Amino acid sequence: MIELSGWKAGTRLLLEMGRITRGNLSRDEALQKIASLILESFPVDAVAIATYDPSSRSVYVSASVSRSDEAIIISPDITLKLDTSSCLWKAIQHPFAPLVLTKGDFDSVLGKVENSYTIVVPMHAGDDVAGFLFLAKRDDVPISNVDPELVMAVGSQAALIAAKASLIESLRQSEERYQMLMENASDMVFVLDRGGRFLYVNSRCRDILGYEPQELCGRYFGEFVTPESWAKTISEVKNAVTRRDKFIEYSWVIQGKDGRPITLDVRASLLYQGYELLRHQGIARDTSKEETLKRELIRRGEELDRSKVREEKMREYLSVANLAQEEERARIARELHDGAIQYLVALRRKMDLFKRDYCGKGLSGDGEKVLQDIDLLLDRATKDLREFSRSLRPPVLDDFGFVSACEWLADEAEKEGIKVRFKVTGPVRKLHRDVEVSAFRIAQEALANAVKHSGASLVTFNLEFSAEHLKITVQDNGKGFDPPSSPGSLVRAGQMGLVGMFERAELLGASIDLKSKPGTGTSLEVVIPLH
């Protein structure tokens, strides 16, 4: 690096740069134009301008021009990470004098210097460095006659122009975002002057009132609202101005373009200039649709409440019906056991006495055959009635409880030629009578379906007890089927046994999961809460 001495140049460049500040260019557009002016004004072969972000220690190349491709200092639109070994970092530490790099010098950020001379000018605004101005020359003509003060002035002017352009660009973007927010708002946004005329109305007024925005702008709001709304709004605004309030709420009743009255809830802010109201801007929301929706929600809520009451009554009815059904089953089972079965047993004994007393007294062979047939029919009738009685209400359920009754179900299923693996896990506990009966009926139906319809050779029957629930699992290796998509389709398919299982599970507040596919068997899992 070498020190830079005087540099002669006119003031034309600074004057042209001053004119740029009066334009409405973006930051990068302004810096690109400045770089071109510098290239035209001074005997250099390339100019580049980069902005500096101290928070990330990064340098962004905003502009780069050159008289030839060989003279390019650095390509535009790239970001460089700054480190403390770079000459740029040195320029930040000593921002009030330019630095010169000569051909062959190496910088950790800029790389190897290919031009004969490269001048690094800190662009500072006050005490802060806003960026860097790079000037490069290809030939070996000395540049010791360059005025460093002019170079620094150009850099400072470029920093001011970049800062102003950035502010203008940020303001424009902010206005665009504000405009977009107002135009895309779901409510009507408006601005009134101090006299109550519309200065601005967003396009939402077209949907709410039926008016185009230009039909409202320039006209007094009192032309559209009812006299009562006008008087109340004026009174509220005057009181708010007296109190120097910044925010106010009121309602407007406006006649829409189609003649129908529309109620708007308004939330507005008041802007002051000194002690006088400057303008009045707000957001107006159409509450008619909200009121209609609210009434509809209330109506549907009431219907839902009535539906829940009907559903609860239906649950109670089903619970009572199931209880009555179980009691009727038990009554029929008792009457069969105490009545018809006992009569058959007594008849069987009478037959035995008859055979003992009369068969040896000349009864013919045909008579003997008839007595044997009667004995066989009596045995079958007694057996069938006993099995039917046990199916209606197994005594083991009342005498020994749910687990023993399930074990009896497994034994009965094995009598049909299917192997059943029965397993109980967890701490066995006494269940409420209604829960025991419903859980037993679910397990009974599941095993009956496996025996009658699955064609399985093996059924796994598990009971799992925990503090919170009882899980019943019945799984077979049978032919499977396509289960219905909903309990309602079970009724249409005529599968009333499964319907009964789903109903009992629902009454218990239990979850029931039925899985099956043709050729893959069937799995039923019922989880009954016990709390």
Side-chain angles (χ1 to χ4, degrees):
M1 293 183 186
I2 62 175
E3 292 295 329
L4 197 66
S5 58
W7 191 23
K8 296 179 180 179
T11 60
R12 177 176 175 275
L13 173 61
L14 293 176
L15 292 174
E16 291 293 332
M17 291 173 67
R19 293 190 181 97
I20 293 176
T21 61
R22 295 193 290 271
N24 197 23
L25 301 176
S26 68
R27 184 195 66 182
D28 291 352
E29 290 172 342
L31 292 180
Q32 185 69 25
K33 194 167 184 178
I34 290 172
S36 299
L37 286 173
I38 294 173
L39 188 66
E40 294 173 2
S41 302
F42 297 120
V44 294
D45 297 306
V47 179
I49 302 177
T51 56
Y52 173 60
D53 180 11
S55 62
S56 61
R57 283 193 180 183
S58 61
V59 175
Y60 174 71
V61 183
S62 297
S64 180
V65 293
S66 63
R67 302 185 189 278
S68 64
D69 292 341
E70 293 78 9
I72 293 176
I73 303 171
I74 192 168
S75 299
D77 197 25
I78 63 172
T79 301
L80 305 173
K81 194 69 176 177
L82 199 61
D83 61 58
T84 56
S85 63
S86 171
C87 69
L88 302 182
W89 183 255
K90 182 178 179 181
I92 292 173
Q93 305 304 312
H94 304 282
F96 301 105
L99 298 176
V100 177
L101 302 176
T102 59
K103 187 173 183 178
D105 288 345
F106 180 82
D107 185 80
S108 59
V109 174
L110 302 177
K112 186 178 180 181
V113 177
E114 300 294 341
N115 293 300
S116 297
Y117 301 98
T118 299
I119 306 170
V120 180
V121 182
M123 295 165 41
H124 60 83
D127 295 332
D128 298 324
V129 173
F132 302 94
L133 170 64
F134 302 96
L135 308 174
K137 193 169 179 58
R138 291 287 296 171
D139 56 39
D140 296 330
V141 177
I143 58 174
S144 57
N145 58 345
V146 174
D147 185 356
E149 292 184 0
L150 179 59
V151 175
M152 296 300 297
V154 170
S156 296
Q157 185 74 356
L160 292 174
I161 293 173
K164 181 180 177 182
S166 295
L167 289 175
I168 293 174
E169 186 175 2
S170 297
L171 179 61
R172 183 173 63 249
Q173 292 175 353
S174 177
E175 289 177 346
E176 289 175 353
R177 287 194 296 268
Y178 182 68
Q179 187 74 14
M180 182 180 66
L181 286 173
M182 290 197 296
E183 286 300 320
N184 294 327
S186 59
D187 302 316
M188 190 177 87
V189 181
F190 66 89
V191 179
L192 301 176
D193 66 9
R194 68 180 67 189
R197 286 178 298 189
F198 286 106
L199 297 177
Y200 168 82
V201 183
N202 69 346
S203 57
R204 186 76 174 99
C205 71
R206 184 187 307 116
D207 303 321
I208 296 176
L209 304 178
Y211 292 102
E212 294 294 332
Q214 57 268 26
E215 295 181 80
L216 299 181
C217 289
R219 298 174 65 180
Y220 289 97
F221 81 93
E223 299 178 45
F224 301 93
V225 303
T226 62
E228 294 81 5
S229 293
W230 179 84
K232 187 173 182 180
T233 301
I234 294 298
S235 175
E236 291 287 344
V237 171
K238 284 184 177 179
N239 292 335
V241 171
T242 301
R243 296 190 301 267
R244 305 292 293 172
D245 292 340
K246 292 184 178 180
F247 303 100
I248 187 173
E249 295 184 8
Y250 51 85
S251 295
W252 276 350
V253 178
I254 294 184
Q255 185 175 6
K257 197 169 185 178
D258 58 1
R260 64 186 177 90
I262 301 169
T263 301
L264 301 178
D265 278 348
V266 181
R267 290 174 173 80
S269 61
L270 305 179
L271 303 180
Y272 298 92
Q273 187 175 43
Y275 292 95
E276 294 187 0
L277 179 66
L278 177 63
R279 66 181 56 176
H280 174 182
Q281 59 189 29
I283 298 175
R285 172 167 295 179
D286 182 4
T287 59
S288 58
K289 292 183 179 179
E290 291 184 0
E291 289 298 325
T292 301
L293 180 59
K294 187 184 296 184
R295 287 194 296 270
E296 180 65 17
L297 288 175
I298 292 174
R299 185 186 66 81
R300 294 191 179 186
E302 291 173 349
E303 288 185 355
L304 182 60
D305 290 339
R306 288 193 294 268
S307 176
K308 287 181 177 179
V309 170
R310 289 194 297 268
E311 182 181 351
E312 189 62 31
K313 288 183 177 179
M314 183 60 68
R315 284 177 178 271
E316 292 177 1
Y317 169 75
L318 288 175
S319 296
V320 172
N322 279 333
L323 181 60
Q325 183 186 59
E326 288 299 327
E327 291 177 350
E328 185 65 13
R329 283 171 174 262
R331 185 187 67 79
I332 294 174
R334 286 194 301 270
E335 289 185 359
L336 285 175
H337 182 270
D338 297 339
I341 294 176
Q342 298 305 318
Y343 293 144
L344 290 174
V345 170
L347 181 58
R348 181 71 176 80
R349 290 177 180 173
K350 290 289 185 181
M351 288 298 301
D352 290 339
L353 293 174
F354 179 80
K355 287 168 60 178
R356 184 190 66 186
D357 296 338
Y358 298 102
C359 284
K361 300 180 179 180
L363 192 64
S364 66
D366 291 338
E368 184 73 23
K369 180 66 169 59
V370 170
L371 289 177
Q372 291 177 356
D373 291 342
I374 292 174
D375 282 344
L376 183 60
L377 291 173
L378 284 174
D379 289 339
R380 289 180 178 176
T382 304
K383 180 180 178 182
D384 289 347
L385 282 176
R386 282 176 174 161
E387 290 179 357
F388 181 63
S389 175
R390 284 196 294 268
S391 297
L392 282 174
R393 181 72 176 191
V396 66
L397 180 61
D398 295 320
D399 297 338
F400 300 102
F402 172 70
V403 174
S404 297
C406 288
E407 188 174 5
W408 173 78
L409 286 176
D411 292 339
E412 291 296 307
E414 284 198 329
K415 293 178 181 179
E416 302 295 330
I418 297 179
K419 182 173 179 58
V420 179
R421 291 177 181 171
F422 177 65
K423 182 179 179 182
V424 180
T425 58
V428 177
R429 55 189 290 189
K430 177 67 175 176
L431 306 179
H432 189 275
R433 178 173 176 270
D434 294 343
V435 176
E436 278 194 343
V437 171
S438 295
F440 173 79
R441 293 302 180 192
I442 291 172
Q444 185 180 36
E445 181 63 29
L447 282 174
N449 288 337
V451 170
K452 296 176 183 177
H453 308 298
S454 70
S457 60
L458 175 65
V459 176
T460 302
F461 180 19
N462 294 331
L463 302 178
E464 179 185 320
F465 286 87
S466 72
E468 298 295 328
H469 64 258
L470 164 65
K471 183 188 292 185
I472 303 173
T473 306
V474 179
Q475 186 172 2
D476 65 60
N477 63 350
K479 58 186 178 182
F481 68 106
D482 288 318
S485 58
S486 66
S489 57
L490 293 171
V491 178
R492 293 189 293 272
Q495 296 172 316
M496 302 309 295
L498 291 176
V499 172
M501 280 201 302
F502 276 93
E503 287 180 350
R504 291 180 185 276
E506 185 176 358
L507 288 173
L508 292 174
S511 63
I512 183 166
D513 185 17
L514 177 63
K515 296 178 181 178
S516 184
K517 287 183 180 180
T520 61
T522 301
S523 173
L524 176 74
E525 182 180 280
V526 182
V527 180
I528 303 171
L530 299 181
H531 52 76

